[in-house]
Amino acid sequence: MCQYILMEELSMKKRPAAVPLVTVDPYFSIWACNDKLYDGYTKHWTENPWPIYIGLQMKGETYTIAGVDRNYVNLRNKIHQTDLRVTPLSTIYTFENHLVKVTLTFTTPLLLDRLDILTRPVSYMAYEVERKADDIGDIKFIFGISAQGCVNNHRQNVMFERTGYSLRCGNVVQNLLSDTGDRVRIDWGYLHLCDKDAYVSEAPTLWEGIKEQLRSADSRRIGRRFSLNEVYNVNEDMPYLYTVREDMSGLITLAYDEVKPIEYFYDQLDEYYTKYFDSFGDMVKAAIKEYPEIKKLCDEFDERLTSQTSKLGEEYEYITTLAYRQAIAAHKLVEDTDGNLLFLSKECDSNGCIGTLDVTYPSIPLFLKFNPELVKGMLRPIIKYGNSEEWPYDFTPHDVGRYPIANGQVYKGNKREFQMPVEEAGNMLLCLAAVKKYKDGDTQLFDDNKEVMKTWVEYLVKFGYDPADQLCTDDFAGRLARNCNLSLKAILGIAAYADLSGDASYMEIAKNMAKNWEKDAKADHVGTRLTFDKSESWSMKYNMVWDNLLGYKLFSDTVKENEIKVYTEKMNKYGVPLDSRALFTKIDWLMWSTCMSDNKEYFDKVCKCIVDTINETTDRVPMSDWYFTTNAEHRYFINRSVVGGLFINIL
């Protein structure tokens, strides 16, 4: 039986900071950010409202189950939430009063081994209403979703149109791929409520007259305030797509047609599902028809994953379950014009970059475990750009643009002083070596690009051991010269090149560097330094995990065990700080530190710190990877793909 997360039943209190509902990609993303689903608006990951309303009409009253503003609905008529269960692919809510029991199951089928299903921009909500009394009479199930999610700001106008299978809405001005940025929503394409009998209405006024209207036999006309093919303002008119069902159980299907999702080196690419379907409508119809089979596949996957994670403890299962959908849905999967997979991340809540290599690096454990081909899809854009005449440097690029435009790096204006030369060169080689290990020796991407790989490893040989003043992936913590953790990455990156190329001379270079590193990085206290020139400093040496995972064994067990001693000593209630400069940490690096040594006690303590952070933070946002270890407040960084790194322990 699947090891569900039950808020009421687990020995430790579970209260996710945010609960995934619709998690398809960076634009099609809806979260519940309250203890109870009816406590407030559901939101896009950017924290902008994207309200969903769910309710029942029975005995002449409207009862609320989920999410519109308190000003608009009499919440005294809510049906109380009694349970929340989260699995890797589904979120299950239970509501109950003296009349009915209602179960809602939100599922986004992000099956990493079924790209044909994973890439459909579709999400489901199944509902089931169970009568508890005989004198209720007719029951009507109401579902509505705001048009806010298909515009980037509330001043924009939308139009509603009917298709043969849905009611859809979209921005009146359809400028495809017209905007880039970080905390932005899409303002092109079309949101579909896949019910041919859906209608349009306005949330505030709908409820004033709904009681009488719901008695009408023609449910399709209920609450119809707006007309199709007319223009409405999202802020002033507050239009919703609605459907009213008389069945006691059923399926609500939501879909989003981006039309063109990605621009890749000036080619506007199609959605991946077009490999299998001639039209968006055909894809949606298949998705609805295949729901029973798809849900079964999702349940089976949940069982497989949680059977692995639960072996490492209840806390670890909880953490990874909440991370799974977030890690995947911060990406978009497409193919280039040659048919190669591109798995493009959005650097959410940081700068909005696309295909960022130092976001790929921490995220890969999840994808190495379930589909290493997707890791190649992350690396391919960086390699293409690094091989081009547009890239002027002898080290690896940081990104390939700003989501959803991938035409070349934009980070910090491409100025030399803002590059991450050692960081990204090491990241590339380590990621490729990881693909080799976890994909049956696959080195094709490396072999096809040997010349540029040689350039990048030579940069590490010349400049990686004692890095000059520069940024690393922890750029938010400031620049550093002589960064010991960055030096680790360079050494392991050189070893990775030896592994990939078969050139043993590079492994000898790495071994000699590692031997020197253990002497040069040794701190006055137990453990190692933040920088080679600061004897009293310390930092989390998370890059060292690849020495174990890839089997290089360049660094001694003593060094690794001493590091864990330092981290245990420095641990606060919500985790180990990243280094001696500040009290914040990174959730991915914190979990990686547990793989440096076989220390179950330390692992359990880290898992408890992370669980406490998720449950006790006052910041109700999708999982943050950058937060303070003393109060669990997030600094920045939400909804990022780097939480894929939390799966490193099942590698």
Side-chain angles (χ1 to χ4, degrees), residues 395-412:
F395 48 79
T396 316
H398 167 271
D399 65 80
V400 290
R402 206 168 191 209
Y403 196 92
I405 306 298
N407 291 336
Q409 180 173 305
V410 298
Y411 183 71
K412 301 287 188 179

Side-chain angles (χ1 to χ4, degrees), residues 41-58:
Y41 281 127
T42 52
K43 297 179 180 180
H44 188 262
W45 73 260
T46 57
E47 299 184 83
N48 289 293
W50 193 349
I52 287 175
Y53 176 79
I54 303 169
L56 292 183
Q57 201 282 331
M58 54 188 176

Side-chain angles (χ1 to χ4, degrees), residues 548-599:
N548 293 344
L549 291 175
L550 298 177
Y552 298 153
K553 305 299 182 183
L554 301 177
F555 298 92
S556 69
D557 291 341
T558 300
V559 165
K560 297 167 185 174
E561 290 163 2
N562 284 340
E563 284 296 303
I564 299 303
K565 291 178 182 177
V566 174
Y567 307 158
T568 302
E569 176 189 338
K570 302 296 183 182
M571 186 179 291
N572 294 318
K573 180 178 181 182
Y574 298 108
V576 182
L578 186 62
D579 58 50
S580 50
R581 291 176 292 175
L583 290 172
F584 52 64
T585 194
K586 284 283 270 85
I587 199 172
D588 41 356
W589 305 146
L590 181 57
M591 187 62 80
W592 282 30
S593 73
T594 67
C595 295
M596 291 171 56
S597 177
D598 187 15
N599 188 320

